[in-house]
Amino acid sequence: MAATPSVESAARGAKNPSALQFLKSGPKKLLIGGKWVPAKSGKTFETLNPANEEVLALVAEGDKADVDEAVRNARKAFEEGKWSTMGPHQRTRFLLKIADLIDQHADELAELETLDNGKSISESRNMDIPGAAETFRYYAGWATKIYGETNPSDPGMFSYTLREPIGVCGQIIPWNFPLMMASWKIAPALACGNVVILKPAEQTPLTALRLGELILEAGLPESVVQIITGFGPGAGSSIAEHPDIDKVAFTGSTEVGKLILKASAGNLKHVSLELGGKSPNIIFPDADVQAATFGSMLGIFMNQGQVCCAGSRVFVQESMYDQFTDSLSKMAQGLTVGNPLDPNTRMGPLVSKEQHDRVLGYLKAGKEEGANAKVGGAAGNQERGYFVQPTVFTGVKNSMKIAREEIFGPVASAIPFKDENDAVFQGNDTTYGLAAAVWTRDISRAHKVARALKAGTVWINTYGMVDPVASFGGYKQSGFGRELGKHSLELYTQIKQVYTKL
Ligand code: NAP
Ligand code: MG
């Protein structure tokens, strides 16, 4: 049995009384059947503050037995129709209530997110938490706008479609945007009338659990949202395999995405996968170079580079390569790395020791393959915590390991290109296709290149913009299915055709 964590020490620097109270209120439990319960096995695991490597909380380690019970509850809740047949206006009100509760607890949630994940408090406050609230608010609007169709038919027939919920949805999310990912999954599923079982990432379970409390406070019917913390093999795989789960939505690594797809074959679940990326960020000499430098910096160093759509391959036209990489490196060097609770900090630690080791392994591999770490290239010099220096590699070839594999850390690989064709060719020369960007003042080139890039999102003269109103998802091995916008409705509804003989 693990020792009781010292919240005062692990969460030092945190100020929000409710966040501290949440941490101090004992081991975190599973949300099953409208109640907080320990795992049936009685097991717990630790969630750490990656800035000081201390234990923030003990969390219930759910596994197959807990998933089984949650699925039974979910099935009952769905079939009874307390949520799926609730009037759409009422569903809207519930989702708006959740959005409001997130806003009301924004400061608390931001501190919990930063403590658990290591991201800077300015990012938690300005992006993650408001982004989660906006996602619930956006889908609240859709609950009243899900239409079927009336089909053309002979006078003796009446033919129409109903767009119905899929049923019990298992949702497995990563650690990089914990609350935001929870909202991308839960909000559209609920708007469409489904019930959900969410498995947060083991590294960052806290804000999802706090969201569970807020969802109870909002008064949703029992078992419409259940939350099972635990590990991938165990809680996650039991969801992916479960014969009575109708749909699984997954965000995470391509490797695990393939396992999810295989596991779903048992009962032919609906599957949507949002996986990794190695996104090309292409800078032409006719761009607003200052804006491109700043955008490229944000594109790779935001959230310590732990972003699936990070601009990790920075393609720069040869004539400006040295100058551009100089400026990008200077900007990287100027980033304040340190205590993520400090509002002036721009980069906190990586999420875990595992991720830290992984990223350091890539830094080593880059140097071994002959790339030059123009800035960074090593762990941070902080005494504790999983810090990595913002790194810009120059002299990178698109064939190198650091240009092919998702590093998921603050590491830019700058690659030169000759001309437009070469930029597009190299940009598309990857197994991934999540996102891409192009920087140019030539409007024709911008749109030509946007069309030619094989990616689910393309940014022109900006990087990283994501809005609940617009779709998000991948080409190639970055996954399939589109989340956000009206496209998420496709993921969480199915169509029923009705023929009537008049
Ligand atoms: P991961 O293993 O793909 O984790 C994502 C989620 O899947 C977590 O909730 C995880 O649970 C769960 N999971 C793991 N194995 C599973 C299984 N066999 N069946 C069902 N669910 C399972 O990602 P990671 O290990 O945290 O990170 C590894 C790499 O993945 C990163 O370095 C990065 O390259 C990539 N990644 C991509 C994204 C993205 O948004 N595209 C996000 C995160 C990571 P546990 O947390 O308990 O393992
Ligand atoms: Mg943690």
Side-chain angles (χ1 to χ4, degrees), residues 47-50 56 115-117 203-204 351:
T47 189
L48 304 184
N49 178 350
L56 285 166
L115 286 169
D116 209 10
N117 168 281
Q203 296 85 350
T204 55
V351 73

Side-chain angles (χ1 to χ4, degrees), residues 48 63 180 219 221 264 351 388:
L48 304 184
D63 62 19
M180 192 130 75
S264 71
V351 73
V388 172

Side-chain angles (χ1 to χ4, degrees), residues 214-235:
L214 298 177
I215 287 173
L216 288 184
E217 193 176 328
L220 270 75
E222 187 184 302
S223 301
V224 169
V225 175
Q226 299 179 89
I227 302 177
I228 300 196
T229 45
F231 298 120

